[in-house]
Amino acid sequence: MKLFFTLILVFITIFFNKPSFAQQKDLVVANHVPEIFDSKATSSAYEDSLKQKDIFDVIAHLRKQTRVMKSDSITSKPTISYIPAIGYSLASKTAIVLSGNMAFRTGPQSRISSIIVSSSVTQRKQFTLPIQTSIWTKHNDFNFVGDYRLFKYPQSTFGLGSNSNIENEDPMDYSYLQFYETALKHIAGNVYAGAGYIIDNHWNVTDNGNYNGKVSDYSVYGKSAHSVASGITVNALLDSRSSAINPSKGTYISLQYRDNYSFLGSTTPWRSLIVDVRKYIKFPAGSDNVLALWSFDWLVLNGRPSYLDLPSTQWDESSATGRGYIQGRFRGADMVYAEAEYRYRITDDGLIGGTFFLNGQSLSAAPGSKLHAMQPGYGPGLRIKLNKVSNTNICIDYGFGRQGSNGLFIDVGEIF
């Protein structure tokens, strides 16, 4: 029933609003042919896309209209898209969302720069305001990437390590400010390297204690009403994906080393490393079906971060890890994560597709402890083509985990 109403809301939102959709991966203008992935959409790719169908073809058919696709060339003049929508997740339940993005070029041959803003109010009385930026210089020598967030975020924690029991729920509440800014320089081919400044600030942190009356892991680890993690990052990136929205082939490797210092304002000094590796393979070869593989390791190298700065389920940059579990379900000093997803067509016209995913996550407890047992998540998914040229899907997944964990997950653009 939730899935049915979600689909109805998606269609109503698109039908009655400006025909564009803002999302966190790339600019997608729904009734135009966008220059996705920096003008590499060739005429043959355009012709192939016309043979497919998306939601707007269906709407045009229902209205007995003829849909005319036209090229949308993004220039130095900003192109703005926005949309109000209804969302749903295990962490937020129902959410009212207003999203918008702006795309432009800093030079005639520069890659597309973007500024993405999204604000939401949720059924769980959460407020979120994330802002993401990607600004390319005139000759594509540098890419300045920003990720800024302001949250008022009631959310439960369930203890440390992937052996934690769902019955140890401890409701928390806090305010959160994030400021991440990274400068990446083009080295050669698909390789980039750079550095950045990063800060996480949690304040007004409170908890109610475990519902079952047991002493919470948060209390044992060390409560803190206010904590700051402030430091520098060293970054490296290799990205040969065919698309950032819906890759069909290629490799993505991202490395981030983070060093937090007391003199920069950190509550305690600590260091971490994030290794993000993704591989996309057409399977069977020559088909449109894709086997997507993902490895995500988030490790505290030394020091003792505050409780809310520890690696945790769906607190990665894209909030994508651990479908089948609520955000924050597992938390610990080290996180090792792996996922495989098979993406396939259901209809020949590309309008409807499907997926099946399987993931596993293993987390340690406090710093210096060993990794706990791997916790699996799995489930099926439905894909509805939102934009056939950029190959953007509305992604609707239902995930299952251990201890009765299950729920609906909705996104625009593939999860990874």
Side-chain angles (χ1 to χ4, degrees), residues 91-159:
S92 67
K93 291 193 174 182
T94 304
I96 300 174
V97 184
L98 178 62
S99 296
N101 59 23
M102 179 172 67
F104 57 93
R105 296 184 187 274
T106 56
Q109 302 302 318
S110 68
R111 292 174 179 262
I112 298 172
S113 297
S114 63
I115 300 174
I116 303 170
V117 182
S118 178
S119 181
S120 68
V121 178
T122 78
Q123 188 177 346
R124 293 188 185 274
K125 300 180 180 180
Q126 299 158 330
F127 169 79
T128 66
L129 178 62
I131 302 173
Q132 295 178 315
T133 63
S134 177
I135 310 298
W136 289 91
T137 56
K138 185 175 181 180
H139 300 291
N140 299 319
D141 293 325
F142 288 92
N143 180 210
F144 296 94
V145 181
D147 190 352
Y148 325 114
R149 306 183 188 189
L150 178 63
F151 287 5
K152 176 67 170 66
Y153 215 67
Q155 184 183 77
S156 290
T157 183
F158 301 86

Side-chain angles (χ1 to χ4, degrees), residues 149-155 172-180 198-206 218 222-230 258 260 265-267 270 298 305-312 315 327 331:
R149 306 183 188 189
L150 178 63
F151 287 5
K152 176 67 170 66
Y153 215 67
Q155 184 183 77
M172 300 185 71
D173 194 0
Y174 55 87
S175 297
Y176 173 52
L177 176 65
Q178 169 187 297
F179 180 92
Y180 293 2
I198 196 167
I199 183 170
D200 295 281
N201 186 356
H202 297 89
W203 72 97
N204 292 337
V205 182
T206 61
Y218 175 47
K223 293 187 178 186
S224 176
H226 181 210
S227 66
V228 177
S230 175
R258 175 175 180 172
N260 301 280
S266 288
T267 304
W270 53 275
W298 186 359
S306 71
Y307 188 86
L308 291 175
D309 287 320
L310 292 169
S312 183
W315 277 101
Q327 186 182 45
R331 186 180 301 271

Side-chain angles (χ1 to χ4, degrees), residues 322-325 337 339-344 354-360 376-383 396-401 405-409 415:
R323 275 177 294 174
Y325 297 93
Y337 182 84
E339 181 162 355
E341 181 173 76
Y342 188 61
R343 304 166 182 170
Y344 57 93
T355 67
F356 185 84
F357 62 89
L358 174 66
N359 63 55
Y378 61 93
L382 181 69
R383 299 294 179 265
I396 304 170
D397 302 313
Y398 203 94
F400 300 87
S405 179
N406 63 87
L408 187 67
F409 298 82
I415 304 302

Side-chain angles (χ1 to χ4, degrees), residues 7 11 52-55 58 344-355 381-386 393-394:
L7 288 172
F11 276 91
Q52 305 300 310
K53 287 186 178 180
D54 58 24
I55 281 180
V58 175
Y344 57 93
R345 280 192 181 181
I346 294 177
T347 61
D348 291 338
D349 60 14
L351 178 63
I352 305 295
T355 67
L382 181 69
R383 299 294 179 265
I384 303 173
K385 192 69 68 186
L386 177 64
N393 291 325
I394 297 173

